[in-house]
Amino acid sequence: MALALQWQLQLPLPLQSRPPALAAAHRRQQRRLLAPVRHAPPLRARCCAGAADDAGKTQAAARRAYPYDEIEPRWQRYWEEHRTFRTPDIGEGLDTSRPKCYILDMFPYPSGAGLHVGHPLGYTATDILSRFKRMKGFNVLHPMGWDAFGLPAEQYAIETGTHPKITTERNIARFRTQLKSLGFSYDWDREISTTEPDYYKWTQWIFLQLLKRGLAYQAEVPVNWCPALGTVLANEEVVDGVSERGGYPVIRKPMRQWMLKITSYADRLLEDLNELDWPESIKEMQRNWIGRSKGAELVFSAVDKEGHDLGATLLVYTTRPDTIFGATYLVVAPEHVLLSSLTSEEQRAHVDEYRELAARKSELERTDLQKEKTGVFSGSYAKNPANGEMIPIWVADYVLGSYGTGAIMAVPAHDSRDHEFAVKYELPIIKVVSPPNGSCDPAEAYADDGIMINSSSTSSGLDINGMLSQDAAKKVIAWVESNGFGKKKVNYKLRDWLFARQRYWGEPFPVSYLDDTNEMVPLSEDELPLTLPELDDFTPTGTGEPPLTKATNWVRTIDPLSGKPARRETSTMPQWAGSCWYYLRFMDPENSSILVDKAKERYWGPVDIYVGGAEHSVLHLLYARFWHKVLYDMGVVSTKEPFKCLINQGLILGEVEYTAYRDSKGRWVSADSDSSLIDCYQEKVPADKVTKVGDHYVLKDDPNIRLNARAYKMSKSRGNVINPDDVVSEYGADSLRLYEMFMGPLRDSKTWSTGGIEGVHRFLGRTWRLIVGPPLPDGSYNDGTMTTEDEPTLDQLRILHKCIARVTEEINETRFNTAISAMMEFVNAAYKWETQPQSVTESFVLLLSPFAPHLAEELWFRLGHRQSLAYEQFPEAKSEYLEESRVVLPVQINGKTRGTILVDKACSEDDVFQIAASDEKLSKYLAGKGIRKRIYVPGRILNVILDQQKART
């Protein structure tokens, strides 16, 4: 009765200690009686509503594969009450002689929608790795927090009139509950939110350090301004000229903004990529974003159509100075500072109209190679310094004012963008590079190196004809430098980071401006944090001024050093700010005196495994690397890079949607019909009405009608979002975890299938029944297990250790789907055994625990253990059990292979011959025959030489 009472009290561990012998005797008694004291779950302790109600609950329990709804809440309570996954601080019992492993998820933005089943994919992977590393003897740091400032919360607040702090806290609470329901082993004692003043105090502190080092400055720059949202948007927040959130028009306009000089670290950001264990595709994206290139800056003099000097010179950056003789026109960006002076009166109206259109596009749209190039003639010309010829100056939005000099020399014969533009506007195309083999498509631009042609001028004295491209480029650079027409130049696509937003919900800048001189004055560090004021009205002002201007009492201040009246900065930092350094705060979340303790940072840094979506491959990772390098230069951190290994998990797409077509008369039209489907209307078909034929899906009732089948990214607008709460309720958290890992390789995109999760749920049920036994008639289960004290057989040990070896390797290589397959194979084999030795079962439960921790903890407890298995040693595969004991041996008769036999490696020659002689296929060659000689090579071959004389008779 004590054990039953224990479960009624919801205590997951026994109240008394049992000696091993007594525990074993107890289990044997259970197996004999088959009717032991069983678990009395909390739900049943409260069920007093009558027999009918009990019967309904019993039937529902019988339909489950195992009682996950009792097991999972029980162990989640235990982990929380015992702080099982708390990582002690240095000085609080952490053994720093042990190896460490810092495993981190890209922390989420807590939206009101909560989690969908795509979110736990990466979280489950990091949890498996964290549990595995703990069991391997590592000190593991596995924290969770919230990236909670930003535009979505502010927009929701504006729409509903609810303060963003309230909605953020509510969303965080929901996310936290959902994550805990999935059994993730986070150290919740280290939880942080970027919106807490104790946290953003140090974000502001980092900004002040950037300011001291000249890495933060103010400048008037063209920005993406959204009047409806009342804020500046980053390039990635603008799609097709409208805001990603809300779809409001966005224009380009100059504004005075805070900038961070990330370009000062461009070379280091580029070079240090080589040291990182990151996907090569992600490193290449960062290299392209930084865009380091070597070339020349050339000077072109501007003239009017008569050739008169306009008194302006255009600086042009090019990576191909060797092609200077092929430059047939120049292109300047619509925002180029000299454009007004370069525009003729005849063309001014056209240029102004074009500039207005270009201002509505984001930089990403303007540089899209797939979009048709547009432009307008400025009315002015430039002199090519190589040959003195006048070439027209055009304005086109595919050139950006923020890249290079904001102007390019166009060589349409050898650049695809320039070629497309020249063909459209009928501009000259002069070929100056010939391919080494002499052949190329005359209708396409040839962009590779080659041999220079049409590249000499007697007037300038420059002649590079017949030279190789690289040698010609060097000669052109030397010529322009000696003649004052330019210089050698290294350039970057990377621009300084626009670091201000006209929003309320963000970190305040710790600076103010003196009223009398407008001088910017930083706050002293002991005044931090500068907290965000409470505002009832945080809607856009409509004037371009940030919402913080409405907090007049907060804006008006006194400079403490001079005593003069001043006003605070009313822009706030972008959402990227808080996520640039959060991984450091997890190492030391309670420190109020410094950003991070040096000893803790030296032990835990850098992050060993960082898991998140590829959508953050450039900006977040690049910004975090930049801040980390600044902190490294300051001596705050001891490593050059923040994230040692990066893993990008794939997307989980919604369930496959099947679409059929009907014509105007309502008749089905096959998707592969020769007739046009334009006039047909689409109709979604339920999955139970669909069948697969070959590689295609068709209607069950009419296999001639082929359907379109496609899975889409989960979104509320499509209505294909799967809520993990529903999955946990129906199948359990362990089933969800296991299914997301079993769907396919972690890095690949996968399609959700409810049928798939039913399969892994059945596997967990089979595992439960293998160890615990079948359910009783009322749907409940025996207490304890069906294991025995028997010594495992050699075959059982081989099966177990092969499973251990495979699961260990697959976890190390993050091939979680094949690790699960190995465990499924083990369970299939174990069902054929006459007994289940406890030592084998315990090892398997430990293997299973990183994947299905709730079920494993329950089984571990039922196997007689008093403590959580979270820190038990992960099983080690023993080599003596991994070698195959039997081999397939070829058997030859007179040198000719006649068959094979299966024998133990240790078999003697006589035993091997007896096995061969009794083999049905081989016996006909040996029966009644005289044996002259036997040649046996153990493990390789048996060759029987017959006595030829007896063989003939």
Side-chain angles (χ1 to χ4, degrees), residues 249-374:
V250 176
I251 62 173
R252 297 281 288 176
K253 64 179 287 188
M255 291 182 69
R256 189 162 184 81
Q257 297 285 301
W258 278 103
M259 308 290 292
L260 297 187
K261 198 174 287 186
I262 190 173
T263 50
S264 296
Y265 282 74
D267 284 331
R268 288 168 63 182
L269 289 167
L270 194 62
E271 292 161 5
D272 291 345
L273 281 171
N274 298 326
E275 302 176 13
L276 298 176
D277 180 14
W278 288 16
E280 191 56 38
S281 60
I282 301 300
K283 292 198 281 189
E284 192 60 27
M285 289 173 72
Q286 290 216 357
R287 291 186 186 107
N288 292 336
W289 191 269
I290 296 168
R292 187 179 193 273
S293 60
K294 295 180 180 179
E297 202 170 68
L298 307 179
V299 178
F300 286 74
S301 299
V303 296
D304 62 16
K305 61 183 178 181
E306 305 296 333
H308 300 132
D309 194 344
L310 293 176
T313 56
L314 279 171
L315 285 178
V316 169
Y317 175 74
T318 178
T319 59
R320 293 293 302 270
D322 56 309
T323 63
I324 189 169
F325 285 98
T328 60
Y329 62 99
L330 298 188
V331 181
V332 297
E335 58 272 13
H336 197 286
V337 292
L338 294 179
L339 182 55
S340 293
S341 60
L342 295 174
T343 304
S344 68
E345 290 306 315
E346 297 90 343
Q347 289 295 106
R348 191 165 300 281
H350 300 297
V351 171
D352 289 346
E353 181 183 4
Y354 186 79
R355 292 178 73 177
E356 185 178 339
L357 290 172
R360 298 175 188 170
K361 298 179 183 179
S362 72
E363 290 188 359
L364 294 178
E365 289 179 89
R366 287 170 55 177
T367 55
D368 187 348
L369 295 177
Q370 305 306 315
K371 293 207 171 186
E372 183 181 0
K373 305 298 179 289
T374 62

Side-chain angles (χ1 to χ4, degrees), residues 590-778:
E590 302 296 330
N591 200 324
S592 60
S593 57
I594 55 175
L595 184 144
V596 60
D597 178 80
K598 287 184 179 295
K600 294 175 184 178
E601 186 279 328
R602 280 195 301 271
Y603 180 73
W604 287 115
V607 174
D608 294 284
I609 301 172
Y610 194 33
V611 177
E615 66 271 18
H616 300 299
S617 58
V618 173
L619 296 181
H620 159 61
L621 292 171
L622 197 64
Y623 294 156
R625 293 180 63 220
F626 164 47
W627 276 32
H628 191 89
K629 290 182 183 301
V630 175
L631 294 172
Y632 176 75
D633 291 346
M634 293 170 56
V636 175
V637 298
S638 59
T639 62
K640 291 193 297 183
E641 288 286 338
F643 313 118
K644 183 178 178 181
C645 172
L646 174 70
I647 298 174
N648 295 130
Q649 83 272 17
L651 291 174
I652 291 186
L653 305 175
E655 294 206 61
V656 173
E657 297 178 15
Y658 304 98
T659 306
Y661 296 88
R662 291 185 187 268
D663 62 18
S664 57
K665 295 182 180 180
R667 295 172 299 196
W668 294 114
V669 178
S670 183
D672 62 341
S673 173
D674 292 335
S675 58
S676 175
L677 298 174
I678 295 176
D679 297 326
C680 296
Y681 63 90
Q682 298 181 10
E683 181 177 315
K684 281 189 176 182
V685 180
D688 60 354
K689 303 291 185 184
V690 176
T691 189
K692 191 173 184 180
V693 176
D695 294 332
H696 308 291
Y697 292 91
V698 298
L699 286 174
K700 275 185 180 178
D701 295 340
D702 188 350
N704 293 318
I705 301 301
R706 186 182 296 184
L707 310 177
N708 280 337
R710 181 181 170 187
Y712 296 87
K713 185 177 178 180
M714 289 188 185
S715 67
K716 288 191 292 184
S717 60
R718 287 205 69 84
N720 65 346
V721 172
I722 306 293
N723 189 329
D725 299 348
D726 298 334
V727 179
V728 170
S729 175
E730 188 168 355
Y731 297 102
D734 284 341
S735 293
L736 175 59
R737 292 166 59 108
L738 211 66
Y739 175 56
E740 296 213 349
M741 295 297 97
F742 192 58
M743 291 170 75
L746 176 63
R747 294 161 178 81
D748 292 357
S749 292
K750 298 162 277 283
T751 302
W752 180 267
S753 168
T754 300
I757 196 169
E758 290 172 351
V760 295
H761 185 62
R762 286 194 298 271
F763 161 68
L764 292 177
R766 292 189 75 223
T767 303
W768 170 261
R769 292 189 299 276
L770 172 71
I771 298 171
V772 174
L776 298 174
D778 66 350

Side-chain angles (χ1 to χ4, degrees), residues 742 763 806-807 816-826 828:
F742 192 58
F763 161 68
R806 219 177 129 196
V807 170
F816 304 121
N817 55 324
T818 48
I820 295 168
S821 295
M823 290 186 286
M824 289 178 170
E825 291 172 11
F826 174 88
N828 288 340

Side-chain angles (χ1 to χ4, degrees), residues 10-28:
Q10 302 180 22
L11 296 175
L13 291 181
L15 300 176
Q16 72 283 355
S17 174
R18 296 182 189 175
L22 181 58
H26 178 70
R27 284 191 295 272
R28 287 194 293 271

